[in-house]
Amino acid sequence: MTSAPKPASEAERLADVADIASFDRATEDLLGAFLRVASDLMGMPISAVSLVGEQEQFFKAVLGLSSGNMPRNAAFCAHAILRPDEVMVVPDLKADPRFSDNALVINDPNLRFYAGAPLHGARGHAVGTLCVLDRKPRQLAPAMIERLQDLARGVSAALSLQHAIHEVSRAARTDPLTGMANRKGMEEMLAEADLQGLGVLMIDLDGFKPINDTYGHAGGDKALIEVARRLRVTVRTGDSVVRLGGDEFMVILRGVERPDAGIGLASRIHAALADTFLLNGSPVPLRGSIGFAAAPWHASDVHTLMERADAALYAAKRAGRGITRAANTVPERKAVGRVTLEALLREAFAPGGTVPFHLVFQPIMDLERCEITSVEALLRWRTETALSLRPADVLPVIEGMGYSGMLDRWVLGEACRLIAADRPHWIVAVNASASTFGMPGFDAQVATILREHGVAGEALMIEMTEGSLAGDEAAARSNIEGLARLGVNVSLDDFGGGHSTLARLRGYPFAAIKLDRSLVADCARTPRGMALLEAVADMAHALEIPALAEGVEEAAQVAVLERLGVKQAQGFFFSRPLAWDRISEIEPVACERACAALGRSLPASA
């Protein structure tokens, strides 16, 4: 018996074999139909569709012979694939020195005739054959050889179609960036999983947005690919990793034997993410918050299991991020995760829905006059909903669902309604999301809201972040200029928080620049904190725009701000955020605190 040499492109050929090595029952039935036609047409008792793998030959369909795998060096088809465009015909296997001592020839089933037409995979390589066999020597007429080759082309087409269907199905279940299962793939896995001992780890990356802002989407994609890789090598054998979308991942655990079994794996995931990761030569922190739930301890069905894990994830984020929370640490009545939150928001923002927020207002002090000149409108979840959710938890979900513009318009409308009702002497500042401010026509929307409520533009200030300039910068500039024509002032929020540059901001008609609270926190405690605040305040002065400090909590910070020429300030030192009707009540107290911190007497007019 002579072993067939391997084709020169063996690695690529084996890739073709791997693509079509697994079929469903319907495809095997189709191949059986080809075999029946081949046997009837050729008058042969045996026919088969074979695939030649790296070490063995295996049949995908066979007629007239008990099927089974055999060593590749004993397979007739291993010789046939060496000439991928020809039908190999062996009239008498016993007379051919390559096969005369083959066990299939000299022993049962005592094969004597073989004809094999090579089959081709998606890359064009010969993967196996459509072959016909007999137990006696035969001749095959040229016309029959051509028919056998025609049938082989049909089988190849059927195999290619099955591969294409498989690829479409696989792509629908696979995240194209990371190669892991996507949400659809997750749903299929959960539907097939045994609920008992099923666990879920929900993972949400912390601080991923700054990575995208700093390194662009290409850098963000590299980070996500690296996170996926680290998750794959960290999870247990049998666990499945899923990318749900954005910077959200999930691990499906099987065979969980105790309710805290996922906590150990979560700890290993935290450690794996914490290893140094470099982007463009700079270290980038990869961190995540994790929520865990497992059945039957935390849920009796898959839907509840997902909700409990999601709620545990949000509890982890609220607790400080970079940590894990299990479902049993989150009371069920407070178990609100992303899935539940999205459902609530979808209902709220539907036509006729009620926005589940209200506004509170924090005074902004003029340090020169020791008086309230403006107030900032801040979002709070409505207490009558019986939920306690922070804006920092909710706003990213709103943005991801595409509701930012609707929420911004609601905030503007509510602020203008209150201004129209009371005509206060202070300006009301409202925040606009980056996606809203970066869209053409935002200034026109503001004009419409002002007109509906009969409010002058001078009564309003809109705060934007520098992220608003990261998208359509021309649209952002146009909106700023359009708002200025309405009399609406625009301030830049969170200045000095890590992304601000003079080159980018020069020339924008900002009415104020709000110094990030992280700069204010240490300004009165450490020389470094003082130096940082001074440098950023100087940058604001260089832009010839008034500076406003937020996050002021101590009298010493007020004194530092005045010395550095910062004209306005807000923070808990003056007042916590209040209901609209309490601002006048707190105004004398806030003014007195400001004057005391600056060593002045309260103005007589106050």
Side-chain angles (χ1 to χ4, degrees), residues 307-513:
E307 283 192 338
R308 295 302 307 280
D310 197 30
L313 168 62
Y314 262 65
K317 284 189 148 324
R318 288 193 293 269
R321 308 194 175 202
I323 59 176
T324 298
R325 283 287 183 267
N328 61 325
T329 65
V330 184
E332 285 196 57
R333 61 185 176 82
K334 293 185 178 179
V336 179
R338 189 181 187 103
V339 174
T340 303
L341 184 56
E342 285 183 352
L344 289 170
L345 292 170
R346 202 172 287 113
E347 181 180 350
F349 284 102
T354 302
V355 175
F357 296 101
H358 70 277
L359 295 181
V360 293
F361 300 85
Q362 186 171 42
I364 298 173
M365 299 297 302
D366 183 304
L367 297 183
E368 288 185 322
R369 294 182 287 175
C370 286
E371 65 179 21
I372 296 176
T373 54
S374 57
V375 296
E376 180 182 3
L378 300 169
L379 274 176
R380 294 292 184 269
W381 193 270
R382 286 209 320 271
T383 54
E384 61 267 29
T385 61
L387 298 177
S388 178
L389 297 171
R390 301 181 308 177
D393 297 327
V394 179
L395 292 178
V397 181
I398 290 176
E399 183 176 357
M401 296 177 72
Y403 293 150
S404 294
M406 297 172 68
L407 179 61
D408 288 340
R409 288 191 291 275
W410 178 85
V411 171
L412 278 165
E414 183 67 4
C416 287
R417 182 185 70 80
L418 294 170
I419 294 171
D422 291 340
R423 304 294 172 178
H425 66 82
W426 53 73
I427 294 170
V428 177
V430 299
N431 293 275
S433 63
S435 56
T436 295
F437 215 103
M439 290 291 290
F442 174 60
D443 56 337
Q445 294 179 22
V446 174
T448 299
I449 293 171
L450 290 170
R451 188 166 54 250
E452 287 175 351
H453 292 277
V455 172
E458 289 76 11
L460 196 65
M461 176 177 287
I462 295 179
E463 296 186 4
M464 60 170 282
T465 64
E466 194 181 350
S468 304
L469 307 178
D472 189 340
E473 191 169 344
R477 181 181 288 275
S478 175
N479 283 326
I480 294 172
E481 293 170 348
L483 291 170
R485 287 192 292 272
L486 294 172
V488 177
N489 289 319
V490 177
S491 65
L492 180 68
D493 202 4
D494 299 331
F495 186 71
H499 305 291
S500 304
T501 63
L502 277 171
R504 187 169 200 176
L505 304 180
R506 186 184 295 115
Y508 285 92
F510 295 121
I513 287 179

